[in-house]
Amino acid sequence: MVNALERAAETADIAVDDIDRVLLNEAAPVIGDVAMETITETVITESTMIGHDPSTPGGNGLGTGTIVDIATKPEDHPDAESYIVVVSEEIDFAAAAETINDWADRGMDIQGAIVQKDDAVLINNRIDREIPIVDEVSRIEEIPLGQPAAVEVAAQGSGRTIDQLSNPYGLATLFDLSSEETQKIIPVSRALVGNKSAVVIKTPAGDVEERTIPAGSLTIIGEGGNSISVDIDQGADEIMEQVEGMWPIDDIRGERGSNIGGMLSRAREQMAEITGQAIEEINIRDVMAVDTLVPQAVEGSVASEHSMETAVGLAAMVKTSELPMQQIADELEDRLGIEVSIQGVEANMAILGSLTTPGTDVPFAILDMGGGSTDAAYINDGKEITSVHLAGAGDMVTMLIDSELGLDDREIAEGIKKYPVAKAETLFSIRHEDGTVTFLDEPVAAETFGQVVLLKGDGQLEPIGVDASVEKIRRTRRQAKEKVFVRNAKRALRQTTPTENIRYHSFVVMVGRSALDFEIPEMISDALAEYGIVCGRGNIRADIGPRNAVATGLCLSYVGSQSDLAGTIPDGLATEVGWTQLTGDGGS
């Protein structure tokens, strides 16, 4: 708090000593945590694969055969119908091509090649027969020799991708698999969809150990003591249906020994550390679940392949009794030498600050969208306020973008969430998300050319190094925001009405950090338009946009409590006190 106050004073170009009073809002502490729980797991018991899709494979077509090392002698190999040769980095491409031609002249049917270096095209240009060649296989020493394998390369320039190895029934045909084996090979074929080249190797039973991790379950406990259990693998819709059906919630517990159980335990421990309370006294009051896809490492892969697996993203809201706010105020007062007072409840202050938005009046609702939670409050004609705190907001969107695009970089994911993307197609032009093209007066930086970039404003282009199209990035970003913000907005508004019907609301003002987003407010407004609700960004004090609602409310509440109207203001809510009374004649 002290650091924040010092930074604020520096921004305002004043000294901390110049401050007469510090106002705090009273709020029950909450922690929003997010985690990803995989529903399905990649399990491969009798196969391994290479599907890393190098940029320049050689040849084309489909080849099957027994894997042999090209550095050995032809007579060392079993009498097989056909062969797939492995070429390590110690073998020169010219020598490899010469050996393949020699073996073919000896009557050996060479159906394909797996190469460690980037030599596929060079080898293909020097052999007498065109075969599929996959190169750039870094861990080639892990390929099991003497096992049946299939190599497929799509024809160069055709715009096509492989079709046999990405089809589970194609794999079943090539390796003579049973229906049970075909079911287990599905993650392999799924991981290879869209590739222009791939290798699949059938290994001895037991070479790749099968393992299964339970997805876990949630037990939702209502305030009346009733409870219900829901398995994570039933998906987000079922989880949220049970959560809303048990609302209001007293606690949510995760199954011991599962990822979700560990996540909820960590959240409780964090809150216990903050408040000094026992873990048993801390409850999970809400979760938000979202269906998504995450890249899972394929068990048995040779080149770090991943398969996109179904998962559930979860955000949890941890709540305990109120923090000792007076102790905090006293400590802050001692350290600063400034009078510190607790002025009002957070939801009341947010409502009051939002009322400085031109065109607003009671009754209305606010949506306060931050990083960890989505909060809503409603004030009726009698100035009675109902509020709710729900799990899931900006941090959860960042997590979904990070996982679905396989970034493993939260900073890049945060940038994709906050800014539009474009493609630097030429040195002097960029193509935007909507397909329009902007021509530039100056050439783009060398590291930006041909890259997907973030448009940060003021002409700043930041390459993000993501191997995905602009269309896919935009689609992933918007779907994540819709799953979290739009759904949570509807949920919050429904729970702040006496009728639990969104149509009860007429006016909604969006405030908070995420209300500054370039597309979230429009997405929510569009979703609420079908209910006849007027919804838009707040403009606090008619000047500073959707931020600062609580701080403004604290100031208004204080001014109101010092005025002749103080006795008429219920619960410190200074709605009758105009903003001009606080600012004076043009003051601040």
Side-chain angles (χ1 to χ4, degrees):
M1 278 188 183
V2 174
N3 291 336
L5 190 61
E6 290 173 345
R7 290 199 299 269
E10 183 180 352
T11 302
D13 197 23
I14 62 173
V16 174
D17 293 341
D18 295 333
I19 299 172
D20 295 324
R21 179 183 292 268
V22 174
L23 304 176
L24 300 180
N25 62 282
E26 186 176 301
V30 295
I31 289 180
D33 193 11
V34 291
M36 199 71 72
E37 173 68 22
T38 304
I39 292 178
T40 59
E41 182 185 1
T42 301
V43 177
I44 305 172
T45 55
E46 292 188 6
S47 66
T48 189
M49 58 172 283
I50 303 169
H52 63 142
D53 202 16
S55 57
T56 54
N60 70 82
L62 173 69
T64 60
T66 300
I67 298 175
V68 295
D69 188 345
I70 201 171
T72 58
K73 298 178 180 180
E75 55 268 22
D76 294 336
H77 302 303
D79 185 17
E81 293 184 3
S82 56
Y83 300 91
I84 303 293
V85 295
V86 171
V87 182
S88 67
E89 61 184 357
E90 289 80 16
I91 307 297
D92 181 73
F93 64 86
E98 183 179 353
T99 300
I100 291 173
N101 287 331
D102 178 56
W103 286 12
D105 291 341
R106 292 170 178 259
M108 297 176 66
D109 184 10
I110 309 300
Q111 289 269 319
I114 306 170
V115 183
Q116 189 166 26
K117 293 195 296 185
D118 184 15
D119 288 345
V121 174
L122 295 173
I123 293 173
N124 184 66
N125 290 340
R126 287 166 173 78
I127 57 178
D128 299 330
R129 172 190 172 193
E130 189 170 45
I131 59 174
I133 306 174
V134 172
D135 59 3
E136 300 179 43
V137 179
S138 58
R139 301 202 305 271
I140 204 163
E141 67 279 356
E142 296 185 19
I143 295 175
L145 300 177
Q147 302 303 320
V151 181
E152 185 176 7
V153 174
Q156 301 299 302
S158 65
R160 295 179 177 274
T161 58
I162 60 173
D163 55 16
Q164 285 295 310
L165 300 189
S166 60
N167 176 8
Y169 299 114
L171 288 171
T173 302
L174 293 171
F175 293 112
D176 191 25
L177 303 179
S178 66
S179 59
E180 184 180 15
E181 291 171 326
T182 302
Q183 188 174 17
K184 291 181 177 180
I185 206 75
I186 287 175
V188 171
S189 61
R190 186 187 301 150
L192 298 177
V193 170
N195 279 16
K196 291 183 171 59
S197 64
V199 177
V200 174
I201 305 165
K202 193 173 190 298
T203 64
D207 263 20
V208 182
E209 184 179 351
E210 178 178 344
R211 62 188 179 91
T212 303
I213 300 174
S217 63
L218 290 173
T219 299
I220 305 164
I221 305 169
E223 286 190 345
N226 295 329
S227 66
I228 190 169
S229 193
V230 56
D231 290 335
I232 296 296
D233 58 13
Q234 292 185 40
D237 289 341
E238 179 64 21
I239 294 171
M240 294 312 299
E241 183 177 334
Q242 299 300 337
V243 167
E244 295 193 31
M246 293 295 290
W247 194 269
I249 293 169
D250 183 65
D251 197 11
I252 298 175
R253 298 169 187 167
E255 180 183 355
R256 293 181 181 274
S258 67
N259 285 347
I260 181 58
M263 170 198 158
L264 297 185
S265 294
R266 286 192 302 272
R268 292 179 201 271
E269 289 169 2
Q270 284 182 313
M271 186 61 79
E273 186 176 343
I274 292 172
T275 64
Q277 289 184 280
I279 292 179
E280 296 77 17
E281 299 175 8
I282 296 170
N283 294 343
I284 309 291
R285 291 298 177 88
D286 183 50
V287 295
M288 185 176 194
V290 175
D291 287 325
T292 184
L293 296 173
V294 294
Q296 281 284 98
V298 176
E299 193 76 20
S301 66
V302 176
S304 302
E305 295 82 16
H306 288 74
S307 172
M308 297 304 290
E309 298 292 332
T310 306
V312 172
L314 287 158
M317 178 63 67
V318 190
K319 189 173 182 180
T320 184
S321 59
E322 295 178 358
L323 276 172
M325 295 301 296
Q326 192 57 55
Q327 295 178 27
I328 294 174
D330 292 343
E331 176 69 18
L332 194 59
E333 191 169 287
D334 290 341
R335 293 186 62 176
L336 297 175
I338 300 171
E339 187 174 353
V340 179
S341 59
I342 302 168
Q343 187 57 43
V345 178
E346 182 176 17
N348 293 19
M349 298 304 99
I351 284 277
L352 181 53
S354 299
L355 276 168
T356 65
T357 295
T360 59
D361 198 3
V362 294
F364 81 113
I366 64 164
L367 281 173
D368 188 352
M369 303 175 293
S373 67
T374 299
D375 306 327
Y378 173 70
I379 179 171
N380 62 18
D381 290 319
K383 309 226 175 81
E384 298 171 326
I385 295 176
T386 305
S387 62
V388 66
H389 302 280
L390 299 179
D395 293 342
M396 191 175 195
V397 171
T398 301
M399 180 191 71
L400 293 174
I401 293 171
D402 187 39
S403 64
E404 292 196 19
L405 292 178
L407 304 176
D408 197 24
D409 190 320
R410 292 295 287 265
E411 186 174 345
I412 293 178
E414 183 73 13
I416 290 174
K417 180 185 74 176
K418 292 171 61 176
Y419 304 107
V421 294
K423 179 74 173 288
E425 291 189 328
T426 72
L427 288 174
F428 290 92
S429 68
I430 59 173
R431 185 173 295 276
H432 296 272
E433 294 180 355
D434 61 1
T436 60
V437 176
T438 295
F439 293 95
L440 310 173
D441 294 329
E442 299 293 332
V444 299
E447 64 271 15
T448 302
F449 175 68
Q451 298 295 312
V452 176
V453 297
L454 298 178
L455 302 178
K456 289 192 168 182
D458 300 326
Q460 183 181 358
L461 307 179
E462 182 179 312
I464 55 178
V466 176
D467 187 20
S469 67
V470 168
E471 293 76 12
K472 181 179 180 180
I473 293 172
R474 178 181 185 272
R475 183 174 62 252
T476 300
R477 183 192 70 223
R478 288 183 62 85
Q479 286 178 347
K481 289 177 178 179
E482 184 167 353
K483 289 175 182 177
V484 176
F485 281 108
V486 174
R487 182 166 192 171
N488 245 1
K490 292 181 178 180
R491 201 161 63 108
L493 293 175
R494 187 162 49 245
Q495 292 175 11
T496 51
T497 67
T499 61
E500 296 188 1
N501 190 328
I502 296 178
R503 296 184 186 277
Y504 185 89
H505 294 286
S506 298
F507 298 93
V508 174
V509 177
M510 291 177 283
V511 297
R513 185 178 77 186
S514 294
L516 293 168
D517 188 85
F518 70 100
E519 59 188 354
I520 290 172
E522 285 75 13
M523 294 173 73
I524 293 176
S525 295
D526 288 346
L528 297 182
E530 63 179 284
Y531 301 100
I533 297 173
V534 178
C535 179
R537 286 186 182 93
N539 189 16
I540 309 303
R541 308 204 300 267
D543 181 56
I544 59 174
R547 299 296 297 273
N548 206 248
V550 173
T552 297
L554 286 168
C555 293
L556 280 172
S557 178
Y558 175 74
V559 171
S561 66
Q562 303 302 306
S563 73
D564 295 336
L565 296 172
T568 68
I569 301 173
D571 299 325
L573 185 64
T575 52
E576 290 88 346
V577 181
W579 179 243
T580 53
Q581 183 173 344
L582 179 60
T583 60
D585 296 329
S588 62

